[in-house]
Amino acid sequence: MDMDFSPEDIAFREEVRAFLKDNLPARLRDGARRTPGVFVEPDIGMEWHRILFRQGWVAPHWPKDDGGTGWSPTQKFIFEKECALAGAPSLAILGLRLVGPVICEFGTPEQKARFLPGILSGDDYWCQGYSEPGSGSDLASLKTAARLDGDEYVINGSKIWTTHAHHADWIFALVRTDATVKKQAGISFLLVPMDQSGVSVTPIHSMSGDHEVNAVFFTDARTPAENRIGEEGQGWSIAKFLLENERGGSCYAPRLLQSIERLENLAQTQPSGVNGALAHDPRFRDRLARVRLEAEALEITELRILAELAKGRAPGPQTSLVKLLGSNIGQQVDVLRLELLGPDALQLPLERPLYGNEAPEPVGSEYAQTAMGRYLNNRAATIFGGSDEVQKNIIAKTVLGL
């Protein structure tokens, strides 16, 4: 694999850098930096979304004919890396990275015309209805049911851990449309409007005090049959396609390496309490070096996957490897951040957001103000999108052949 960028890729990188310099407002960088949650708040993320939409750069992972950029896998990597280095907010993945590619792949021309423009522009905000109180890792056991009533589906049941459901206009949901067949075969994929009396959202506050996730209840909720993606019973196949995009649809390493570099810089001035700065403490320095090496190895793995994609091959089960490593390295970074900041990292302001004129005054630094919130929120990283145990099983069966 040739690890050097081509002259065209280098020119593209300079174009991206110039765009970010001219179009990424400081308030959005500040909002992204001071967000302790997994997702940035919509007032930050959607403003950046619309800036990229106007540039035509909001959907690098979509086919060009459906509104994508037409970039090569290497260009997508360059774009994500430069956005990470510039401190740009992460975009909400639920529309762009999850349901959008599903509609591109499985949707009818009419469904594409109906739903894709709103996802691209940011006019429609989406959430995901997968997990249920009794169906997490064993997602195929889901109970939420939909029955056809004329030309509409009537939906009853509930979903849980539904990120940003309180902001969403639409939910894409896995529902059981046939209880008489094998559990995977009886699942369908529906697009359901949230603004109706049959849908209610109950907030779930995390240990950090953040409100990102929710429980969603369907009580005779309705959606037209034309909002079913694919055929009845095809939902499980579509769900697997979507999960590959969730687990490997973006690169973890650039933002991890940016976070590690910030820790390295801070360690130069943060006192160890024993022998000068923490950067000179051999035990801390060793742990920080090890996590950097792991992140750099992950970056090489991601580049290998990009090389395969450039040859027209599907990402496949390697996305589980990226998800497994990215989540665990991120948690290691969270722990090192707490140790580096010491007592200043114990603060956990419950006021949100932590940016803007009404933000509470930090103790020590803005960086310390979000450290504990990030640590607590990111404990879920090894669960959401498929737990570590699920990823290891996938790797064992499909990669190692065990």
Side-chain angles (χ1 to χ4, degrees):
M1 181 175 62
D2 185 359
M3 296 298 296
D4 293 328
F5 289 139
S6 68
E8 294 78 13
D9 289 332
I10 293 172
F12 175 74
R13 182 182 64 190
E14 296 309 308
E15 180 186 1
V16 172
R17 287 178 176 176
F19 172 80
L20 291 167
K21 180 180 178 182
D22 295 339
N23 293 277
L24 177 58
R27 69 179 179 279
L28 298 190
R29 289 198 302 270
D30 176 64
R33 186 177 67 249
R34 300 187 68 185
T35 297
V38 176
F39 282 36
V40 296
E41 290 297 312
D43 63 323
I44 295 294
M46 294 311 296
E47 183 176 348
W48 180 233
H49 177 123
R50 292 186 175 96
I51 291 171
L52 292 176
F53 171 66
R54 290 193 292 270
Q55 179 70 8
W57 287 2
V58 78
H61 299 274
W62 291 21
K64 189 172 184 179
D65 289 345
D66 292 321
T69 57
W71 291 343
S72 69
T74 302
Q75 288 175 315
K76 295 173 190 174
F77 174 81
I78 289 171
F79 177 71
E80 290 200 22
K81 184 162 188 174
E82 294 304 320
C83 284
L85 293 173
S90 298
L91 296 177
I93 68 169
L94 298 161
L96 289 172
R97 297 286 179 88
L98 301 187
V99 75
V102 163
I103 297 171
C104 292
E105 181 72 15
F106 298 96
T108 65
E110 294 76 16
Q111 288 170 335
K112 291 182 181 183
R114 167 66 182 86
F115 292 106
L116 294 184
I119 298 173
L120 284 172
S121 66
D123 290 340
D124 292 333
Y125 200 86
W126 288 78
C127 63
Q128 173 178 287
Y130 270 30
S131 295
E132 298 182 3
S135 302
S137 296
D138 182 18
L139 184 58
S141 67
L142 64 88
K143 298 293 192 297
T144 296
R147 61 176 177 83
L148 201 55
D149 180 23
D151 59 358
E152 289 186 317
Y153 281 102
V154 181
I155 307 161
N156 285 279
S158 66
K159 299 293 180 178
I160 201 167
W161 315 124
T162 312
T163 303
H164 280 194
H166 53 304
H167 298 302
D169 307 295
W170 288 84
I171 183 171
F172 56 94
L174 292 179
V175 298
R176 187 161 302 285
T177 48
D178 189 344
T180 66
V181 296
K182 181 182 176 182
K183 59 183 181 180
Q184 287 89 347
I187 295 172
S188 299
F189 192 103
L190 298 184
L191 312 181
V192 184
M194 295 288 286
D195 185 17
Q196 58 173 299
S197 59
V199 178
S200 62
V201 177
T202 300
I204 300 174
H205 292 273
S206 65
M207 288 189 296
S208 65
D210 287 292
H211 174 203
E212 283 192 314
V213 296
N214 306 269
V216 178
F217 299 92
F218 302 100
T219 306
D220 290 334
R222 290 180 173 264
T223 195
E226 64 191 23
N227 288 351
R228 185 192 68 233
I229 303 296
E231 301 299 325
E232 272 203 7
Q234 195 181 0
W236 190 248
S237 297
I238 296 173
K240 290 191 292 184
F241 172 88
L242 182 146
L243 286 170
E244 279 193 3
N245 281 287
E246 182 174 8
R247 293 165 184 168
S250 61
C251 293
Y252 285 83
R255 291 191 183 272
L256 287 172
L257 288 168
Q258 181 207 35
S259 297
I260 292 166
E261 182 175 354
R262 192 165 188 181
L263 291 180
E264 291 169 340
N265 292 335
L266 190 58
Q268 297 292 331
T269 57
Q270 196 75 2
S272 67
V274 178
N275 186 27
L278 264 171
H280 306 301
D281 181 283
R283 289 170 296 182
F284 186 83
R285 187 173 61 217
D286 176 71
R287 293 170 62 201
L288 192 54
R290 285 176 182 272
V291 78
R292 170 173 277 282
L293 286 173
E294 291 183 18
E296 289 176 347
L298 174 61
E299 185 172 48
I300 297 299
T301 300
E302 290 177 331
L303 288 170
R304 287 196 185 103
I305 293 173
L306 290 175
E308 293 298 301
L309 291 173
K311 298 173 185 176
R313 298 171 186 168
Q318 290 89 341
T319 58
S320 289
L321 179 63
V322 170
K323 165 63 168 66
L324 178 69
L325 294 173
S327 298
N328 282 272
I329 295 170
Q331 290 183 347
Q332 292 179 57
V333 171
D334 294 335
V335 171
L336 287 171
R337 185 185 295 115
L338 293 182
E339 293 187 14
L340 182 64
L341 294 165
D344 285 351
L346 294 176
Q347 59 184 308
L348 188 60
L350 300 182
E351 301 91 335
R352 295 292 190 270
L354 297 178
Y355 50 83
N357 296 331
E358 303 302 319
E361 190 69 23
V363 176
S365 69
E366 295 176 359
Y367 194 54
Q369 188 181 49
T370 59
M372 183 59 72
R374 289 187 177 186
Y375 168 82
L376 293 172
N377 281 317
N378 208 33
R379 301 314 297 168
T382 47
I383 300 173
F384 62 64
S387 68
D388 275 11
E389 292 77 10
V390 169
Q391 306 313 317
K392 290 176 181 177
N393 283 338
I394 292 172
I395 294 165
K397 292 178 182 178
T398 60
V399 179
L400 302 178
L402 300 177

